[in-house]
Amino acid sequence: MSTILKATPRERLLRAAADLFYREGITATGVERLCRAAGVSKRSMYQLFETKDELVAESLALFGADVLADYLPGEAAGLTPRERIVHVFERLEALAGDPAFRGCPFVGTATELKDPAHPAALVARARKQELTDFFARQAALGGADDPETLASQLTIVFDGLAARAVVRGSGVGGLAVTTASVLLDAGGLRAG
């Protein structure tokens, strides 16, 4: 028996939601499609989640941690602060080249929903802030002139390059590491 079938209906709905909402979009994925993919009845879904919006937010909150973890280096990696930041952009380079790449799920969610007060948009903003906070911590540890500004700039570059990959339907052609490195140099975070 596969792991997905051993999961509870709630777990299956959350996993199916994370997958379908990323690949196909939130509004394009109807409740019937979602329930079919999860192997759960609509009735069961509405017993577990009051609304589709609640499911969207909870799924993004739960699996957003996995998304971030996929970009961030592990603590045991033994990297300098600059190398830890560059690692994020190396991961972006690698992931953006995959045909299944649909950009940043946090930006995608907030953009699709268009309501900054939507529960999933709040989750998306908080998760995105975690990336910016990571950049700020590393920039401060690396002696950057203005860690907060540098972190915001790095997040903008990250988001812009992820969007560029989606628009072009291809990777970012080496721009991620190159652009991040220029910002790191300008911000006083030198190699070493």
Side-chain angles (χ1 to χ4, degrees), residues 85-182:
I85 292 171
V86 169
H87 175 88
V88 173
F89 290 92
E90 290 170 341
R91 289 296 300 144
L92 177 58
E93 293 264 355
L95 294 171
D98 185 326
F101 184 74
R102 300 289 181 266
C104 173
F106 312 124
V107 172
T109 296
T111 302
E112 185 175 353
L113 295 174
K114 296 179 184 25
D115 176 4
H118 187 287
L122 297 174
V123 170
R125 193 164 42 255
R127 289 287 184 200
K128 198 76 218 185
Q129 186 61 47
E130 289 177 43
L131 179 63
T132 304
D133 293 345
F134 168 82
F135 288 147
R137 280 192 308 277
Q138 298 310 308
L141 289 170
D145 300 330
D146 183 351
E148 296 299 323
T149 298
L150 180 56
S152 294
Q153 291 168 329
L154 289 165
T155 302
I156 290 168
V157 167
F158 181 95
D159 292 345
L161 287 164
R164 177 183 167 88
V166 172
V167 169
R168 293 184 69 214
S170 64
V172 294
L175 289 174
V177 172
T178 302
T179 306
S181 295
V182 168

Side-chain angles (χ1 to χ4, degrees), residues 10-127:
R10 180 182 195 78
E11 292 166 339
R12 292 195 315 265
L13 278 165
L14 288 166
R15 172 52 69 192
D19 180 53
L20 290 172
F21 295 157
Y22 181 70
R23 283 189 300 115
E24 300 175 9
I26 296 165
T27 56
T29 303
V31 170
E32 287 189 29
R33 167 103 169 86
L34 179 61
C35 289
R36 207 171 34 253
V40 174
S41 71
K42 282 174 56 174
R43 179 176 180 216
S44 293
M45 186 198 116
Y46 284 116
Q47 288 174 336
L48 295 167
F49 301 95
E50 287 186 30
T51 64
K52 180 182 170 185
D53 289 346
E54 181 183 333
L55 175 57
V56 173
E58 192 167 328
S59 177
L60 191 62
L62 181 63
F63 293 106
D66 294 341
V67 171
L68 284 174
D70 197 27
Y71 284 97
L72 303 181
E75 292 300 321
L79 303 174
T80 67
R82 181 185 176 105
E83 290 168 336
R84 293 176 64 74
I85 292 171
V86 169
H87 175 88
V88 173
F89 290 92
E90 290 170 341
R91 289 296 300 144
L92 177 58
E93 293 264 355
L95 294 171
D98 185 326
F101 184 74
R102 300 289 181 266
C104 173
F106 312 124
V107 172
T109 296
T111 302
E112 185 175 353
L113 295 174
K114 296 179 184 25
D115 176 4
H118 187 287
L122 297 174
V123 170
R125 193 164 42 255
R127 289 287 184 200

